[in-house]
Amino acid sequence: MYEKVYQGDTRTASRLMRDIEEGLPQARAEMKRLYPQSGKARIIGITGSPGAGKSTLCDCLISHYRKQGCKVGVVAIDPSSPFSGGAILGDRIRMSRHADDEGVFIRSLATRGQTGGLSRAACDVSAVMEAWGAQIVIVETVGAGQAEVEVRRLATSSIVVLTPGMGDEVQAIKAGIMEIADIFVVNKADREGVERTVNDIRGVLELLPDGGPQVWRPQIVKTVAFRNEGIAELGQALDGHHAFMLESGVLAKRARERAELQLFDLLHEHVQLKINAVLEKKLDPQWREMLASRRTDPYTLAEGVLKEILNGDD
Amino acid sequence: MYEKVYQGDTRTASRLMRDIEEGLPQARAEMKRLYPQSGKARIIGITGSPGAGKSTLCDCLISHYRKQGCKVGVVAIDPSSPFSGGAILGDRIRMSRHADDEGVFIRSLATRGQTGGLSRAACDVSAVMEAWGAQIVIVETVGAGQAEVEVRRLATSSIVVLTPGMGDEVQAIKAGIMEIADIFVVNKADREGVERTVNDIRGVLELLPDGGPQVWRPQIVKTVAFRNEGIAELGQALDGHHAFMLESGVLAKRARERAELQLFDLLHEHVQLKINAVLEKKLDPQWREMLASRRTDPYTLAEGVLKEILNGDD
């Protein structure tokens, strides 16, 4: 039914992605089937505030890898938030330069609030893109929400995009992004304040503990994405990081962790659905008010729910 | 059995706390019994890096509230980590100035890695302290781990302690502490660089969106804790924040959220125990290797576990 995915058919791949989101059993069966072949693609996470030129940069990277003959998937996490609505739309239009390229597959995922759901959806979509033939999957996130942080764990290489003088450095630090970025890109590097930004980043990096030669020292690359400048250097930095991850065994270790995280995400998501169903349908509909006014307590409520959902064997 | 707790008996209260951690059914029954009376105490969260003088400050606050005739509980989260081992021990010795005061109850909780477990333990211990008679409960955390972040949600007022020139500002920003602090204390304010630190904090606060008059603007208080200076000002800032929280209804809203979080913590913790039991005892003991080598997949494994733990009624 989904056979054409493996032949590079975009439409069938889109259908499979949608069917997984819907939770259709045949889609889940297909995910089990394609799983053994997945996990080989390079997954490049790109994040940064709106206006940093992230999508333009992403655009450049797509072209870069296409020129190398790679098929490229792009998972765009669309926060559907008022903070970035207009910018996101503009970015999407820009990325449609690749819309006619059969070697590029772009898919947007909307954040709906649940953390586990988003990272698992991104995981599934990446796996399908791999099955479709992508050797590179770019995962683009905006902002610093818990959901986006989860998604970034998916990446084999993480890029953070900053721009000179926008106060981004502080935002990035706040988001805990500094600790996950493998490569910092200072985009719009033709602007004033670029060296100060580079130095600020170096300053914060110096605060991180030195893990020795087995630990990757984050690199800083300057780009002017709209003029396609600095992209070759970025590509090299990415290759260097990937090689490092392979040789040091970190890649394999991260893949194992990711698989186990996926397992727990699936378990918690399913259990949460059961919990919600019981809370909405089987408990006193006033349970929230009763808890707030302390006429009941979390222990009693928890016992009621667990009794309904768990197998009583132990 | 635990009747003496309500009469202010410290030993019985300690025993109840220990029995809850052990999961004894009579302790859980007691938690249900004391729940309706809990949630009235002010819970003051104090956090900051080791060496910021946090415990000394805590000490001063204890004296401050004791002079007002309040009984004070202190929940000290001890990370048991090499980064702060020695300092923590020293702090504990300092706090024992209050060891003979029957109006002060200090208890340490060790972090054991599980996020939900720690915040729930802190919640339970606070509730017992309230039943014991505490009008103020101080919750002291160190560092920026996920567990400590969870615990800080427990507080009705959150204090972050920084010191001049230690680069703490960056650390605080990294930890996402800037967004939860209601009051910033710059301790060791007799040192050089104090005004720069105050300005740095103001600078970062200006980056936060202005929520209007219904949102608390974090205050900055300078102290020299070892000389007991600035403590009255800190007390006033705390009173001001508490009044604001009461009048704006935020206090009630946070109490509701906390109760629901406790419920979900209890549920997830129990379910995780069941999941772990199945993974360790009922699945193929090689499941980790099989998953890593892709001989099985997360979907298949998840189905196996869910089948074992869930009630099959739906």
Side-chain angles (χ1 to χ4, degrees), chain B residues 182 209-218 241 243-251 253-254:
Chain B
D182 301 307
D210 189 339
Q214 315 96 300
V215 174
W216 173 261
R217 301 295 298 173
H241 180 251
F244 179 92
M245 296 279 277
L246 262 169
E247 283 157 28
S248 62
V250 175
L251 202 68
K253 178 166 167 282
R254 294 260 298 261

Side-chain angles (χ1 to χ4, degrees), chain A residues 10 14 17 55 58-59 62 72-77 91-109 125 129 132 137-138 140:
Chain A
T10 313
S14 295
M17 291 175 188
S55 289
C58 187
D59 215 58
I62 295 172
V72 181
V74 181
V75 184
I77 312 289
D91 293 339
R92 296 281 169 270
I93 291 168
R94 234 176 289 148
M95 275 216 277
S96 70
R97 164 157 61 117
H98 297 282
D100 293 332
D101 184 347
E102 283 194 1
V104 179
F105 189 165
I106 300 174
R107 186 171 182 88
S108 286
L109 298 186
V125 164
M129 284 176 171
W132 166 82
V137 175
I138 298 174
E140 187 192 345

Side-chain angles (χ1 to χ4, degrees), chain A residues 28 32 35 38 124 173-174 208 256 260 268 272 288 292 294 297-300 303 308-309 311, chain B residues 28 32 35 38 124 173-174 208 256 260 268 272 288 292 294 297-300 303 308-309 311:
Chain A
R28 174 172 297 157
K32 293 184 190 180
Y35 190 79
S38 70
D124 289 341
I173 296 169
K174 278 176 74 174
L208 297 175
R256 277 197 301 277
E260 291 189 22
H268 290 135
Q272 188 60 50
R288 274 199 164 89
R294 295 178 179 263
D297 63 82
Y299 291 89
T300 301
E303 280 170 7
E308 285 287 336
I309 66 171
N311 178 336
Chain B
R28 175 171 296 157
K32 293 183 190 180
Y35 190 78
S38 71
D124 290 343
I173 296 169
K174 278 176 74 174
L208 297 176
R256 277 196 303 275
E260 292 190 20
H268 290 135
Q272 188 61 49
R288 275 200 164 86
R294 295 178 181 266
D297 64 83
Y299 290 90
T300 301
E303 281 170 7
E308 285 288 336
I309 67 172
N311 178 337

